[in-house]
Amino acid sequence: MATQTAAQRREGARAAYDAYLAACPARELLDTISDKWVSLVLNALSDGPLRYSDLGRIIAGVSQKMLTQTLRGMERDGLVSRTVTPSVPVRVDYALTELGRDLQPLMRAIKAWAESHIEQVHSAREAYDTRA
Amino acid sequence: MATQTAAQRREGARAAYDAYLAACPARELLDTISDKWVSLVLNALSDGPLRYSDLGRIIAGVSQKMLTQTLRGMERDGLVSRTVTPSVPVRVDYALTELGRDLQPLMRAIKAWAESHIEQVHSAREAYDTRA
DNA sequence: CAGAATCCCGGAAGATACTG
DNA sequence: CAGTATCTTCCGGGATTCTG
């Protein structure tokens, strides 16, 4: 009998690949910026700092949980800064860091590509869906 | 009593926002290229056409289901072409379309940004994790 | 060889309620 | 005001099995 089943071999390959991918910078970046809330926060803060509640209002559909979770993650990655003003009631401001601002040209490039090619994608989809 | 609860209002806002986002080209693009398997297929095909089984071997950890599903989606979006050669057994080749090749410079830009800034992200994380 | 169909599980995200 | 804590639901993705 085989020392390994096909499933076992694939499992091992998958584990190795996952490890490889986790260490891939491009993957890390894509995982970050493709997050719906991350990109929205990035955009909301592009005009200047905002308070927690302002962000919640501007990004209309977000739940408190996701907003907090998103901001924590972005703070951890060094994309935003969090400033607490210990007044009563408390006031917390969020702002883009230099790294966060560095990211903006790339986001604009992505947006530009999307806008200039979206028509091709849409017509390709239509062709695909109507054929057959 | 209020005509709407807070939850109902948020629900409406979320629905409207989702609709808005679904129509956002940048979001569509990000949702596409941030897919793990999409980016791997894009990369695998950059050197030329490959057969289904070759893709499965090169992208070591992928399951048949995900490979097929990914390729179908990319074909629908006009990123790859699918060519069936009705021999026995069947042979199917996948290749990048012009649109798919157009995407490569952007992918390289993302990769470049990631590689030149990943250190900052990692040290930011370390600082965040080690501080209290 | 290149898929299609089916079952199933873990984890992500929302709703709700509570707090310093 | 700015969160935290908990519960629950939903579905993306893997394993498995079958076929033209």
Side-chain angles (χ1 to χ4, degrees):
Chain A
M1 58 178 165
T3 51
Q4 281 190 326
T5 65
Q8 284 173 327
R9 248 178 287 114
R10 189 154 6 109
E11 164 62 24
R14 202 180 55 73
Y17 225 66
D18 282 354
Y20 168 72
L21 282 179
C24 172
R27 264 259 61 76
E28 283 191 73
L29 176 62
L30 278 171
D31 286 343
T32 299
I33 64 177
S34 69
D35 184 291
K36 176 182 175 180
W37 305 123
V38 168
S39 56
L40 290 171
V41 167
L42 231 35
N43 188 58
L45 290 179
S46 64
D47 297 327
L50 287 173
R51 302 176 58 171
Y52 180 84
S53 51
D54 291 332
L55 281 169
R57 200 162 342 95
I58 293 175
I59 305 173
V62 73
S63 67
Q64 288 187 334
K65 177 186 171 182
M66 289 315 294
L67 182 55
T68 299
Q69 184 175 308
T70 301
L71 289 168
R72 288 285 182 281
M74 293 176 74
E75 189 193 359
R76 179 168 184 264
D77 287 352
L79 294 175
V80 301
S81 63
R82 179 174 180 270
T83 311
V84 181
T85 306
S87 52
V88 178
V90 194
R91 172 193 177 117
V92 181
D93 285 274
Y94 289 91
L96 289 184
T97 61
E98 195 186 328
L99 185 59
R101 284 191 299 275
D102 270 1
L103 190 51
Q104 295 191 314
L106 182 65
M107 296 303 281
R108 277 196 290 274
I110 292 172
K111 183 162 178 267
W113 195 96
E115 290 174 349
S116 63
H117 292 79
I118 193 70
E119 280 309 325
Q120 292 185 57
V121 173
H122 285 166
S123 57
R125 280 185 196 163
E126 198 170 349
Y128 184 92
D129 292 343
T130 53
R131 71 112 226 230
Chain B
M1 59 177 165
T3 50
Q4 280 190 326
T5 66
Q8 285 173 328
R9 249 178 286 115
R10 191 155 3 113
E11 164 63 22
R14 201 180 55 73
Y17 225 65
D18 282 353
Y20 168 70
L21 283 179
C24 172
R27 264 257 62 78
E28 283 191 73
L29 176 61
L30 278 171
D31 285 342
T32 299
I33 64 178
S34 70
D35 184 292
K36 178 181 173 182
W37 304 123
V38 168
S39 56
L40 290 171
V41 168
L42 232 33
N43 189 59
L45 290 180
S46 64
D47 296 329
L50 287 172
R51 302 177 57 170
Y52 180 86
S53 50
D54 291 331
L55 281 169
R57 198 161 346 92
I58 292 175
I59 305 174
V62 72
S63 65
Q64 288 186 335
K65 176 185 172 181
M66 289 316 294
L67 182 55
T68 299
Q69 183 175 308
T70 300
L71 289 168
R72 287 287 181 280
M74 293 176 74
E75 188 193 359
R76 178 169 185 263
D77 287 353
L79 294 175
V80 301
S81 63
R82 177 173 181 271
T83 311
V84 181
T85 307
S87 52
V88 179
V90 194
R91 170 192 178 118
V92 181
D93 285 274
Y94 290 92
L96 291 184
T97 61
E98 194 186 329
L99 184 59
R101 285 191 298 274
D102 270 1
L103 189 51
Q104 295 191 316
L106 182 64
M107 296 302 283
R108 276 196 290 273
I110 292 172
K111 184 162 177 267
W113 195 96
E115 289 174 349
S116 62
H117 293 81
I118 194 70
E119 281 308 326
Q120 293 184 57
V121 172
H122 284 166
S123 55
R125 279 185 196 163
E126 199 171 348
Y128 184 92
D129 292 344
T130 53
R131 71 111 225 234

